[in-house]
Amino acid sequence: SEADRQTISANMSIAYKVNARNDLTLATKSSRTDYFGGAGEETPSTTLGSNITWLHRETKRTDLTLSTGVDWYDYENDINSEDFVYFLRAGISSELSPRLTVSAGAGVRLLDSYEDGALPGDDNIHTTELGGLANLGFTYSMKRGSFSGTADYGLSPNSDGQLETSLGVGLAFVHQI
């Protein structure tokens, strides 16, 4: 049977305007995921993370960003696995017309994974894996709303300490009444 998942999250960010063209943002996040019912195959986990982002207004219509950070994943499984994920990402956002804005970004993600040995006395296992990440997006503004789309590609750790490929695509339509 399938388990019910409960996730509780908290996020916080602090932004500092360095000058008219530069901003710094420090963000933190935390979450706790538990599972109820089901066959017991799901792994409860705790996640903590922090990142810093620099935004530079290159021109009136173009912004550049650079961000770096670390996420810590702690899994409650038999091998006490935990992952540290470090990332570095650069991006650009440009207003091509008064109505159309496009964005793109790319970066790298390093997974540093630890787990206990299978049996008492076994050596702990430490693996490191490098992967990429990328995103594309657009927003088209209309008189009473907007239409936007995103595509994200990345590598994220799973509860076995491996990087999994993920691809997300989203569309949104906002209409103001």
Side-chain angles (χ1 to χ4, degrees):
S1 74
E2 205 169 293
D4 293 325
R5 181 175 92 176
Q6 175 186 350
T7 300
I8 298 172
S9 301
N11 302 301
M12 182 182 81
S13 65
I14 299 170
Y16 174 68
K17 187 170 191 74
V18 177
N19 56 38
R21 294 180 66 182
N22 295 284
D23 295 342
L24 288 174
T25 303
L26 176 64
T28 62
K29 64 182 178 181
S30 63
S31 68
R32 171 69 189 172
T33 301
D34 287 300
Y35 297 90
F36 302 96
E41 296 174 2
E42 297 81 8
T43 303
S45 63
T46 301
T47 304
L48 300 172
S50 182
N51 69 65
I52 188 165
T53 301
W54 170 48
L55 178 133
H56 175 70
R57 288 172 195 81
E58 184 64 24
T59 68
K60 218 175 182 184
R61 293 182 169 200
T62 302
D63 293 338
L64 305 174
T65 58
L66 183 63
S67 59
T68 187
V70 61
D71 294 329
W72 172 67
Y73 299 81
D74 185 35
Y75 303 98
E76 293 179 14
N77 52 20
D78 294 337
I79 54 175
N80 287 324
S81 59
E82 66 179 334
D83 298 326
F84 290 90
V85 180
Y86 306 92
F87 67 89
L88 178 64
R89 178 176 40 235
I92 185 170
S93 176
S94 186
E95 185 181 311
L96 299 181
S97 74
R99 291 184 177 228
L100 180 62
T101 301
V102 296
S103 62
V108 293
R109 187 173 275 169
L110 175 72
L111 170 67
D112 201 11
S113 183
Y114 299 88
E115 61 186 55
D116 291 345
L119 299 171
D122 285 354
D123 289 338
N124 292 345
I125 300 168
H126 174 228
T127 58
T128 303
E129 194 171 344
L130 186 65
L133 51 108
N135 64 286
L136 296 170
F138 74 91
T139 300
Y140 184 80
S141 299
M142 297 172 278
K143 187 174 183 176
R144 299 192 60 168
S146 64
F147 180 70
S148 61
T150 59
D152 297 299
Y153 167 81
L155 297 170
S156 300
N158 64 22
S159 59
D160 295 326
Q162 306 286 318
L163 282 177
E164 288 183 328
T165 301
S166 64
L167 176 64
V169 177
L171 294 173
F173 178 73
V174 176
H175 179 70
Q176 298 172 353
I177 299 174

